[in-house]
Amino acid sequence: MHEYQLFAYNHIVNKKHSALFLDMGLGKTIITLTAIAELRSFKLIEKVLIICPLRVANTVWQQEAKKWFHTSDINVVICTGSKANREKKIKQEADVYLVNRENTNWIVEQIEKKVISFDMIVIDESTSFKNYNSKRFLALKKILKDIEYRVILTGTPSPNGYMDLWSQMYIVDRGERLGKYITYYRNDYFTRSPYCVHVYNIKPYAQEVINNLISDVTISLQARDFLDMPEKITIDYKVDLDNKAYRTYYEIQEDFFTELGDNQIMTPNVLTQLNKLLQCCNGNIYNDDGDTIPLHTNKLDALAEIIEDNPNENILLAYRYTSDLNDIKKRFKEAVVLSKSAKELDAWNRGEIKLLVAHPASAGHGLNAQHGGSIVVWYGLDYSLELYQQFNGRLYRQGQKNTVRIVHLVAEDTLELSILEVLQSKDMTQQSLLDHLRVSR
């Protein structure tokens, strides 16, 4: 582990109540798992509840625990899906139980019914509890007093200002530092806007006071301060597809491998089947008449999570198919599409565009976009190594002041994993892709 990760791990271990405000890519999952392993080894905790976004519950925590020797013996159970499945999983003997945030009320009911109890709770992406009137926060409040270790994790604790902090810090200390009631917090540190009764402005001195009040239980680490080498990091967001999408995918996959056979080149038929598979991974498929048939929104949902978790960041988004672009524009009203003239680039570099959408083939060369943001998201992977490297190079270049994060939205158990592996091996020749696809079958 890096020195900053050890620092954060020790913070959790030594503080029963802690808040970790860590940028994406700093390793908050393995930091927390390492702390859990340490606390378990001293028999200070037995059962841990982790509440997090659905995709994270299904694809991140359990898999990360298995990757590392010192956390591989942590038994992680994923309690998502249908009510019947959740009720079955929660009764299994385990060390860590994962619940998606939409089921907070359900897990609170299980605790209140004495079905299970926890001595540690971790809220991953705690900003999803920033609304102090939300059902999930009000439910969680009821059980906090009975849980000894409480940890919140987020990279953006106050996306809309310091008002967002109160409910998150309440999870940590039950009001010890910022007050037990939102009304008192509001009155002490904010003034009501004269123009809108529902808007509060923070008082001139309040930010420093609040920072000092929570400093003993809080650490904040930013990627630019710790990720000097490498200056670019990659993050793979694994996305599980719907059952319907997987059935369609596997049907097409059989046709693909039939066409592939022993071919040493990408024949037109092989290329057609490959594109169908990649379209399926992204959410749509074209029928023989050229019409778009929607299959799933799983990648759209994953992209929404990234945008939500990084509200202060501007994102450069790479799309592959026209159907992807149409879905993105429909779902995200703030999206701006890069035109052939790239006239939008000036506004992007001034920080005025939150989500700039571009096709790698039209934005791969000659564009300086490093001043507008530092996150690249690949909605769908391109098997051209040149386009992949050139597109990433729009942000990862001289003049970039922050660590660049390259995020891949990758459909689990699909050929996208093969494409990603070959891309990262920097041997993305046509032959290497075909060989890798055969091996991974």
Side-chain angles (χ1 to χ4, degrees):
M1 294 177 70
H2 297 287
E3 185 176 349
Y4 68 85
Q5 292 175 324
L6 291 172
F7 173 68
Y9 140 78
N10 280 314
H11 183 80
I12 297 176
V13 170
N14 295 324
K15 304 275 187 181
K16 289 187 176 181
H17 310 144
S18 57
L20 269 62
F21 301 154
L22 307 182
D23 268 357
M24 180 173 65
L26 288 179
K28 63 184 177 182
T29 305
I30 188 56
I31 289 169
T32 307
L33 285 168
T34 303
I36 290 171
E38 179 78 356
L39 292 169
R40 283 182 64 245
S41 71
F42 287 101
K43 301 188 184 303
L44 296 173
I45 60 172
E46 291 184 6
K47 293 185 184 298
V48 180
L49 170 64
I50 298 178
I51 300 177
C52 55
L54 178 61
R55 185 200 60 80
V56 176
N58 287 334
T59 65
V60 175
W61 283 90
Q62 186 183 68
Q63 293 83 339
E64 189 74 10
K66 292 178 180 177
K67 279 172 55 178
W68 304 94
F69 176 78
H70 68 287
T71 60
S72 58
D73 66 336
I74 298 176
N75 186 5
V76 181
V77 170
I78 301 174
C79 305
T80 61
S82 66
K83 183 177 180 180
N85 183 66
R86 282 181 272 132
E87 290 180 345
K88 176 184 176 182
K89 295 289 187 179
I90 204 66
K91 293 176 182 176
Q92 292 183 9
E93 190 62 34
D95 306 310
V96 173
Y97 296 79
L98 292 165
V99 175
N100 56 300
R101 57 197 179 191
E102 293 82 3
N103 285 320
T104 300
N105 287 38
W106 171 80
I107 191 60
V108 169
E109 289 175 3
Q110 304 306 303
I111 294 170
E112 291 180 326
K113 293 176 181 177
K114 310 296 184 184
V115 174
I116 193 169
S117 63
F118 299 97
D119 36 37
M120 181 174 185
I121 184 171
V122 177
I123 307 296
D124 189 1
E125 299 305 342
S126 61
T127 47
S128 59
F129 286 81
K130 68 180 183 291
N131 184 350
Y132 50 82
N133 283 322
S134 67
K135 292 181 179 178
R136 66 178 64 156
F137 173 70
L138 294 174
L140 194 64
K141 276 182 69 176
K142 296 186 292 184
I143 62 167
L144 292 175
K145 66 181 184 299
D146 298 319
I147 301 177
E148 189 172 7
Y149 287 83
R150 300 190 293 269
V151 180
I152 64 171
L153 308 171
T154 183
T156 54
S158 52
N160 302 312
Y162 270 63
M163 192 68 76
D164 292 344
L165 274 179
W166 181 81
S167 56
Q168 296 177 75
M169 291 309 301
Y170 188 96
I171 295 171
V172 174
D173 66 7
R174 297 182 60 236
E176 179 182 338
R177 288 163 181 80
L178 300 184
K180 290 188 177 296
Y181 303 99
I182 183 63
T183 303
Y184 295 162
Y185 178 66
R186 234 175 6 218
N187 292 341
D188 287 345
Y189 304 113
F190 298 84
T191 56
R192 193 188 298 270
S193 169
Y195 308 106
C196 181
V197 296
H198 301 297
V199 174
Y200 291 84
N201 299 316
I202 192 164
K203 293 178 180 178
Y205 66 87
Q207 183 171 325
E208 183 178 355
V209 173
I210 293 170
N211 289 345
N212 289 334
L213 284 171
I214 66 175
S215 62
D216 63 317
V217 292
T218 304
I219 61 171
S220 177
L221 305 178
Q222 295 185 311
R224 65 173 180 263
D225 296 328
F226 295 96
L227 297 179
D228 296 331
M229 290 298 294
E231 296 177 352
K232 176 178 66 176
I233 60 173
T234 59
I235 301 166
D236 301 332
Y237 263 61
K238 303 291 180 63
V239 179
D240 277 317
L241 306 186
D242 297 336
N243 289 335
K244 174 187 174 184
Y246 272 127
R247 286 196 297 270
T248 303
Y249 177 88
Y250 292 135
E251 290 172 5
I252 301 169
Q253 183 176 258
E254 286 302 310
D255 294 334
F256 171 75
F257 281 114
T258 299
E259 292 288 351
L260 180 59
D262 294 323
N263 284 322
Q264 300 302 306
I265 60 171
M266 197 76 77
T267 66
N269 287 342
V270 170
L271 184 59
T272 297
Q273 297 301 326
L274 176 61
N275 277 311
K276 282 186 177 181
L277 287 171
L278 293 176
Q279 291 161 10
C280 183
C281 291
N282 290 357
N284 300 283
I285 192 169
Y286 297 111
N287 64 16
D288 293 337
D289 296 325
D291 299 320
T292 301
I293 302 173
L295 289 178
H296 64 84
T297 63
N298 303 110
K299 282 201 174 182
L300 287 171
D301 296 339
L303 177 59
E305 285 184 9
I306 293 172
I307 293 172
E308 178 186 348
D309 294 342
N310 297 274
N312 300 320
E313 299 275 2
N314 301 332
I315 293 173
L316 178 61
L317 178 66
Y319 76 93
R320 181 165 176 76
Y321 301 104
T322 302
S323 57
D324 302 341
L325 178 61
N326 293 335
D327 287 344
I328 292 163
K329 290 193 297 182
K330 184 177 180 180
R331 177 75 172 264
F332 305 100
K333 302 306 180 185
E334 71 272 29
V336 174
V337 182
L338 187 69
S339 62
K340 290 183 179 179
S341 65
K343 62 184 179 184
E344 300 80 9
L345 207 58
D346 286 342
W348 161 263
N349 278 324
R350 290 194 300 268
E352 298 170 3
I353 297 176
K354 299 299 294 181
L355 182 63
L356 183 62
V357 187
H359 195 283
S362 62
H365 298 272
L367 298 180
N368 294 314
Q370 68 269 33
H371 303 297
S374 57
I375 297 180
V376 177
V377 175
W378 285 84
Y379 190 83
L381 289 171
D382 196 298
Y383 43 80
S384 166
L385 179 61
E386 180 184 7
L387 289 181
Y388 175 77
Q389 293 177 331
Q390 289 290 338
F391 191 86
N392 291 339
R394 300 313 96 212
L395 301 189
Y396 182 59
R397 61 195 299 112
Q398 188 174 4
Q400 174 61 253
K401 296 180 179 179
N402 300 309
T403 297
V404 174
R405 285 162 282 174
I406 311 297
V407 184
H408 309 114
L409 299 182
V410 185
E412 190 80 273
D413 296 322
T414 70
L415 64 81
E416 281 197 317
L417 295 172
S418 295
I419 291 177
L420 179 62
E421 188 169 338
V422 179
L423 276 173
Q424 293 176 335
S425 74
K426 299 184 179 180
D427 182 29
M428 196 55 180
T429 62
Q430 181 173 280
Q431 185 59 51
S432 66
L433 174 60
L434 293 177
D435 290 344
H436 199 280
L437 290 173
R438 286 192 183 91
V439 172
S440 64
R441 184 179 182 180

